[in-house]
């Protein structure tokens, strides 16, 4: 009776080491350690430690948003444009509506992100157009609206209330508030994806959408919800962007959509859907931003910085495919053994 629990207890360290998240954490620790040895200011001291926690916060939120969509076998390339549009809208509310309540403006910015995500979700789930095409189109549409809306104007720190900009600079027990918000987003998303019916349905749809539909799952509705969640989180990131930098122009968040995809892939979220965790995506964002900060410190030029990041992304995708192929071989072998036992044949 006690054999199974003992076996499980003995094997959990090996299972932990085999998880993709463990490898990402180990890579971050090694990178921070090596860079700090070369340049102690990288992580030692109040500024170094604070920047280590604060810098990844926005990308962590976008990576979680991206992971939710990718798990359903889709992709959201518009997250950076949603961030930029909501950041400018948030700043504009403060300038055009003097004395606007801070909570109301924050909710309005997040709500705008949810609406933009709903547009993506409607076009993908109802019109049945591939998400890559739809979100690439809305990326340019949302960015175009932002450029037309903002023009050459920009929101400056003097236009924003100090209570709002404090969100981007304040700390609680030495930990930046933005980092606490990012951790809260990861925790909530991880719970929803792993412990709720909606989250499990997203994994089922990403693994085999046709089988999920035959089983009776609401595939369209679930995909729609995934895009709304992505837009909502991108809207939250836009609000925090405005608070963090206190200066918002039409190019806010430019290029972050590819960083979000890269972070999710580095964290073990399979681009083919159905595999990965939002925690892994968040850790991938931490690794990506840590690399971006560490490479200049190590004296690596701009070109090689991009080359290193590109190589990491390719390596992560190749690793995912290799792991998937290995698991498929194991399943085939297990099925063959089970069939041989059922037929009472000798098992090799």
């Amino acid at each position: 009776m006690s054999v199974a629990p003992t076996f499980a207890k003995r094997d959990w360290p090996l299972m932990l080491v085999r998880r993709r998240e463990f490898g990402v954490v180990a890579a971050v620790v090694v990178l921070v350690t090596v860079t700090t040895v070369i340049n102690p200011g990288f992580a030692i001291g109040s500024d170094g430690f604070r920047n280590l926690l604060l810098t990844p916060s926005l990308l962590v939120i976008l990576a979680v948003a991206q992971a939710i969509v990718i798990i359903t076998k889709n992709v959201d390339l518009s997250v950076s444009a949603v961030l930029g549009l909501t950041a400018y809208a948030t700043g504009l509310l403060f300038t055009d509506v003097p004395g606007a309540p801070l909570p109301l403006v924050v909710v309005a910015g997040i709500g705008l992100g949810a609406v933009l995500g709903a547009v993506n979700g409607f076009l993908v789930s109802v019109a049945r157009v591939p998400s890559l095409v739809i979100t690439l189109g809305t990326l340019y549409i949302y960015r175009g609206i932002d450029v037309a809306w903002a023009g050459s104007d920009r929101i400056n720190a003097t236009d924003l209330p100090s209570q709002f900009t404090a969100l981007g600079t304040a700390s609680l027990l030495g930990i930046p508030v933005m980092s606490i918000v990012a951790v809260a987003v990861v925790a909530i998303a991880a719970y929803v994806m792993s412990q709720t019916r909606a989250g499990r349905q997203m994994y089922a749809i990403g693994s085999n959408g046709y089988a999920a539909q035959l089983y009776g799952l609401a595939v369209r509705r679930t995909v729609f919800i995934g895009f709304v969640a992505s837009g909502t989180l991108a809207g939250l990131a836009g609000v925090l962007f405005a608070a963090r930098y206190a200066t918002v122009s039409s190019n806010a968040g430019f290029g972050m959509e590819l960083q979000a995809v890269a972070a999710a892939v580095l964290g073990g979220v399979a681009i083919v859907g159905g595999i990965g965790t939002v925690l892994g995506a968040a850790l991938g964002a931490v690794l990506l931003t840590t690399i971006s900060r560490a490479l200049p410190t190590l004296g690596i030029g701009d070109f090689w910085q991009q080359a290193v990041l590109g190589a990491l992304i390719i390596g992560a995708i190749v690793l995912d495919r290799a792991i998937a192929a290995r698991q498929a071989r194991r399943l085939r072998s297990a099925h063959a053994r089970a069939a041989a036992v059922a037929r009472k044949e000798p098992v090799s």
Side-chain angles (χ1 to χ4, degrees):
M1 297 293 292
S2 62
V3 174
T6 303
F7 179 78
K9 289 180 180 178
R10 189 174 58 206
D11 273 14
W12 76 262
L14 181 61
M15 295 173 61
L16 178 63
V17 171
R18 286 179 175 176
R19 289 185 64 89
R20 179 67 166 273
E21 293 88 344
F22 181 86
V24 177
V25 171
V28 172
V29 171
V30 170
L31 182 62
V32 171
T33 302
V34 171
T35 310
T36 304
V37 169
I38 297 173
N39 181 5
F42 183 78
I44 298 176
S46 58
D47 288 341
F49 178 72
R50 176 182 171 79
N51 290 333
L52 205 62
L53 296 178
L54 183 59
T55 305
S57 299
L58 290 175
L59 187 57
V60 164
I61 296 174
L62 287 187
V64 170
Q66 197 67 254
I68 293 172
V69 176
I70 293 177
I71 285 171
T72 65
K73 208 171 186 177
N74 289 285
V75 66
D76 188 355
L77 296 179
S78 69
V79 287
S80 65
V82 173
L83 180 152
L85 193 53
T86 54
Y88 188 78
T90 299
L92 203 62
L93 275 175
F94 283 118
T95 60
D96 289 358
V97 187
L102 178 59
L104 182 62
V105 174
V106 171
V107 170
I110 296 173
L112 176 60
V115 170
L116 298 176
V119 172
N120 289 335
F122 176 82
L123 294 174
V124 172
S125 61
V126 177
R128 296 189 176 184
V129 180
S131 60
L132 179 65
V133 177
I134 288 297
T135 58
L136 181 61
T138 54
L139 164 66
Y140 287 109
I141 292 172
Y142 297 160
R143 185 66 68 184
I145 293 173
D146 196 9
V147 171
W149 194 5
S152 59
D153 296 334
R154 52 191 284 174
I155 305 296
N156 297 311
T158 54
D159 300 321
L160 303 174
S162 58
Q163 298 92 335
F164 178 69
T165 55
L167 292 175
T169 58
S171 297
L172 182 64
L173 301 177
I175 301 175
V177 170
M178 279 184 56
S179 301
I180 296 174
V181 173
V183 170
V185 166
V186 174
I188 294 171
Y191 175 81
V192 171
M193 294 300 290
S194 63
Q195 302 297 325
T196 67
R197 181 178 181 182
R200 292 191 294 270
Q201 286 181 354
M202 288 182 181
Y203 279 101
I205 291 168
S207 298
N208 191 325
Y210 181 69
Q213 190 170 14
L214 289 179
Y215 186 73
L217 299 184
V219 174
R220 294 190 194 180
R221 184 178 64 188
T222 303
V223 170
F224 176 80
I225 292 173
F227 275 99
V228 172
S230 177
T232 302
L233 292 178
L236 172 62
V239 173
L240 294 177
F241 183 97
R244 171 75 176 92
Y245 296 104
T247 300
V248 184
S249 60
S250 58
N251 65 347
F254 186 82
M256 291 189 74
E257 70 282 350
L258 296 182
Q259 294 179 29
V261 173
V265 171
L266 284 175
V269 180
I271 201 70
V272 295
I275 300 173
T277 64
V278 293
L279 174 60
L283 292 173
V286 173
L287 176 60
L288 199 63
T289 52
T290 304
I291 290 173
S292 298
R293 289 187 60 231
L295 292 182
T297 304
L298 298 175
I300 298 176
D302 292 341
F303 169 78
W304 289 108
Q305 292 175 32
Q306 300 300 318
V308 168
L309 294 177
L312 283 172
I313 294 169
I314 293 173
I317 294 175
V318 171
L319 178 62
D320 284 337
R321 300 310 301 157
I323 292 174
R326 183 180 179 184
Q327 290 176 340
R329 288 195 299 269
R330 284 183 175 179
L331 285 174
R332 286 194 296 267
S333 177
H335 290 161
R337 288 174 177 271
V341 170
R343 294 193 299 268
K344 297 182 180 180
E345 296 178 357
V347 179
S348 57

